[in-house]
Amino acid sequence: MAKDDSPNSPAPRIRASDKDRDAVLGVIAEAVSSGRLDPNETAERQDEAISAKYLDELLPLIVDLPEGHELYRSLLRQTGGGATAATTLARHNGPMPLAPVAEPGSERPLNSVAIMSGRELDVPAGTSDITTYALMGGDNVDLCDVMGPGVTVSLTSYSMWAGHDIYVPPGVRVRDDTINIMAGNEIRGSAKGDGSNGTLILKGVSLMAGHEVHLAKGYRAKDQGQLE
């Protein structure tokens, strides 16, 4: 049979070594010590790491763990970058992968105006700058698609008698650089991350107004802190 050398032929699967499996087990152990995995998830991932024959079988086990970000990228390069680890991860029933969906800044800046009103503002992946204007109103700003390791998002808001509800995934560090006059922002305790999933910078001016940053719904309380 002739060998298929066409450019669309699938890349060969790469066998995992003992060193690869041990590295993944090390990442899982670090994640457990950080409180990211419960006992059942830990046992399941450890068993799958030990029994994995190919590198693409190891990728889903660490794609959502910040401790394994560098190892994930290294293994992904060895597979040729064609593995579908993010979709395979769904069987673990855990949070969405901690990885940016698009290159930061690849999406154009986003603007929003809310006057005695508000809307659901789902910020698309790749957006790095958001500017909002609010008067006696406010938006529900969802940043779950845009955040990821190494991502920095600036949200500049000019508000009067108004405020936004801002929702972030776990691991996002929030920096408040706003100017407030008879106003202020509240960052819920469960939304205060360590920066492993990016940084959100709040900017702008508020007059008798304020914003609230929440941990987005859907992340389990026992893994990510008290849900609000």
Side-chain angles (χ1 to χ4, degrees):
M1 180 181 294
K3 183 179 179 181
D4 184 3
D5 292 324
S6 65
N8 294 325
S9 60
R13 299 179 75 187
I14 305 299
R15 289 267 181 173
S17 66
D18 287 338
K19 182 178 178 181
D20 296 324
R21 286 183 281 268
D22 288 342
V24 169
L25 289 170
V27 167
I28 294 171
E30 289 183 46
V32 171
S33 66
S34 298
R36 301 189 195 278
L37 299 173
D38 64 31
N40 289 335
E41 291 174 317
T42 301
E44 181 181 355
R45 296 195 190 203
Q46 287 174 333
D47 289 345
E48 292 192 28
I50 292 171
S51 61
K53 294 182 179 180
Y54 298 94
L55 292 182
D56 56 75
E57 295 175 317
L58 294 173
L59 290 169
L61 306 178
I62 59 173
V63 67
D64 62 337
L65 303 176
E67 294 84 358
H69 184 58
E70 292 302 320
L71 177 60
Y72 175 84
R73 295 180 65 178
S74 175
L75 296 178
L76 188 61
R77 284 195 296 269
Q78 294 182 60
T79 65
T84 55
T87 55
T88 309
L89 179 69
R91 71 178 184 271
H92 292 291
N93 298 319
M96 291 298 290
L98 292 180
V101 177
E103 187 71 20
S106 60
E107 186 72 21
R108 65 182 182 179
L110 183 65
N111 296 291
S112 178
V113 178
I115 301 176
M116 300 181 66
S117 64
R119 65 184 177 118
E120 300 294 326
L121 189 62
D122 295 327
V123 180
T127 305
S128 58
D129 291 293
I130 308 160
T131 303
T132 68
Y133 304 87
L135 173 63
M136 300 178 66
D139 298 325
N140 289 327
V141 184
D142 190 330
L143 298 174
C144 290
D145 287 343
V146 72
M147 302 308 304
V151 172
T152 297
V153 174
S154 295
L155 195 163
T156 304
S157 183
Y158 301 95
S159 305
M160 180 180 294
W161 307 317
H164 303 303
D165 285 303
I166 303 165
Y167 297 91
V168 298
V172 175
R173 183 171 72 93
V174 182
R175 196 177 87 197
D176 189 353
D177 291 346
T178 58
I179 298 173
N180 300 292
I181 303 171
M182 300 178 65
N185 303 315
E186 180 181 357
I187 303 170
R188 299 292 182 90
S190 58
K192 295 179 179 179
D194 57 5
S196 59
N197 201 21
T199 300
L200 168 64
I201 304 175
L202 301 178
K203 301 179 180 180
V205 180
S206 294
L207 173 61
M208 300 180 67
H211 315 295
E212 289 192 26
V213 182
H214 312 261
L215 179 67
K217 301 287 185 181
Y219 294 98
R220 291 170 301 174
K222 64 181 179 180
D223 291 337
Q224 307 297 351
Q226 179 80 28
L227 288 182
E228 301 157 1

